Amino acid sequence: MAPAPMRKDAARNWQRIVDVARHLVDDGAPLQLNDVARLAEVGVATVYRHFPTPEALMETVATPGLEALVAHAEQALTEDDPWQALTDFLGTTLEAQLTDPSISLVRAAPDHVLPRTTELATTLDSLAGRLLDRAHAAGTVRGVVTWDDLRPLMCGAAYAATVHADDRKTRLESGRRYLGVMLHGMRA
């Protein structure tokens, strides 16, 4: 059974909270729900009613980016060249991690608090595994490489690019270079 639609004022408050959280995450600030309430100009109880934990709010902020990655992975599975499909997907994933801090934070979390986040993460891992399996079957990726290897390596490349660069352009350039090294090492 679907939840009842929100009243207009509740929907406006929800959006204001998410927008403030998005700005805080993009600025690298921690999500403190009391601070979010103050900045969104809503009551603290309103924030907690919508988002009982900072993790729930972070996952909500990350949801559009995760949905976009799932859509990209689904599209990549329709491409003819398995190697190109995999490398394009990994490139898009790395760029998302470098431009949307919520994605890296949510993907690195050991557990999720929202069922939708768990669903998206599971789907994303499954699709990425299928992309890798196609590349294995085509003989373009070393047989020892697994998605369980690639997932933390992708997080590591994003982290290294973030730590070693102060601006977005340099982070993206560094991340792409690190990804290139990784792809070279896994190519059969």
Side-chain angles (χ1 to χ4, degrees):
M1 184 162 143
M6 279 191 255
R7 294 184 336 254
K8 285 186 181 184
D9 62 329
R12 266 192 311 272
N13 287 340
W14 184 92
Q15 191 60 58
R16 286 169 64 182
I17 293 164
V18 172
D19 290 345
V20 164
R22 169 89 269 164
H23 290 296
L24 289 171
V25 169
D26 288 344
D27 290 343
L31 284 185
Q32 302 294 328
L33 296 185
N34 290 356
D35 293 342
V36 171
R38 181 179 47 77
L39 293 168
E41 299 178 346
V42 299
V44 173
T46 299
V47 174
Y48 279 90
R49 189 169 31 260
H50 289 291
F51 305 100
T53 65
E55 294 80 12
L57 182 53
M58 179 66 76
E59 289 179 19
T60 300
V61 169
T63 294
L66 294 172
E67 289 172 339
L69 286 175
V70 166
H72 185 81
E74 288 170 339
Q75 191 281 324
L77 282 168
T78 68
E79 294 179 20
D80 291 333
D81 183 339
W83 173 254
Q84 193 61 51
L86 177 64
T87 60
D88 287 349
F89 170 72
L90 294 176
T92 299
T93 299
L94 182 66
E95 186 170 324
Q97 290 176 299
L98 292 172
T99 58
D100 182 350
S102 68
I103 291 176
S104 290
L105 292 168
V106 168
R107 290 293 282 161
D111 297 305
H112 302 114
V113 296
L114 301 178
R116 178 68 176 146
T117 308
T118 301
E119 174 191 336
L120 288 168
T122 301
T123 301
L124 190 56
D125 286 339
S126 173
L127 293 169
R130 288 173 52 198
L131 285 166
L132 183 59
D133 289 346
R134 286 182 64 217
H136 279 139
T140 58
V141 173
R142 294 176 190 225
V144 297
V145 178
T146 69
W147 180 242
D148 288 337
D149 297 325
L150 285 182
R151 186 172 167 218
L153 286 171
M154 292 294 293
C155 290
Y159 178 76
T162 301
V163 167
H164 298 294
D166 293 331
D167 63 277
R168 179 183 172 140
K169 182 181 178 212
T170 306
R171 275 193 302 273
L172 288 169
E173 289 170 355
S174 297
R176 288 182 188 117
R177 195 170 54 254
Y178 301 155
L179 178 60
V181 170
M182 187 176 81
L183 292 172
H184 180 74
M186 62 188 259
R187 184 112 194 218

